[in-house]
Amino acid sequence: MRNDKNVRKRLIVEGLITLIIALSPVLFYSYKYLPNDTDSLDFLFFEITSNGFADARTAVWYYLLKTIPLILLVIWYNGGTMRF
């Protein structure tokens, strides 16, 4: 019985990791769907401003340029050390 719980937990975690990896190109290029020449973007829970960039779209592009590879590297290097 305990083995079934471990297998189910492992399948869920590996499925989420696979989903994140598969959606990473879509997330990376999502900045292209944002409006041009805006100083701020209002989302549900937060607001992104230009923060010294030319516009908010450029700021989002910069943030995605840094975070998506970081997330993929964390998944890659922690993949061998994950215990279930």
Side-chain angles (χ1 to χ4, degrees):
M1 191 67 163
R2 181 179 171 122
N3 192 20
D4 290 340
K5 289 182 182 180
N6 287 341
V7 170
R8 185 174 299 134
K9 182 179 177 183
R10 186 175 179 129
L11 284 175
I12 290 171
V13 170
E14 288 180 358
L16 289 174
I17 290 172
T18 304
L19 185 65
I20 291 170
I21 292 171
L23 290 178
S24 65
V26 175
L27 292 174
F28 184 75
Y29 289 110
S30 65
Y31 73 92
K32 290 185 177 187
Y33 298 106
L34 298 175
N36 292 331
D37 300 329
T38 57
D39 289 334
S40 67
L41 296 169
D42 294 324
F43 293 103
L44 244 50
F45 300 112
F46 57 92
E47 177 182 7
I48 297 176
T49 60
S50 60
N51 291 331
F53 291 99
D55 57 357
R57 181 180 177 181
T58 307
V60 170
W61 169 77
Y62 182 77
Y63 301 147
L64 291 174
L65 181 70
K66 299 298 180 184
T67 57
I68 298 298
L70 178 66
I71 291 169
L72 292 174
L73 282 171
V74 167
I75 289 172
W76 185 16
Y77 284 114
N78 285 335
T81 61
M82 289 176 26
R83 303 278 184 229
F84 295 105

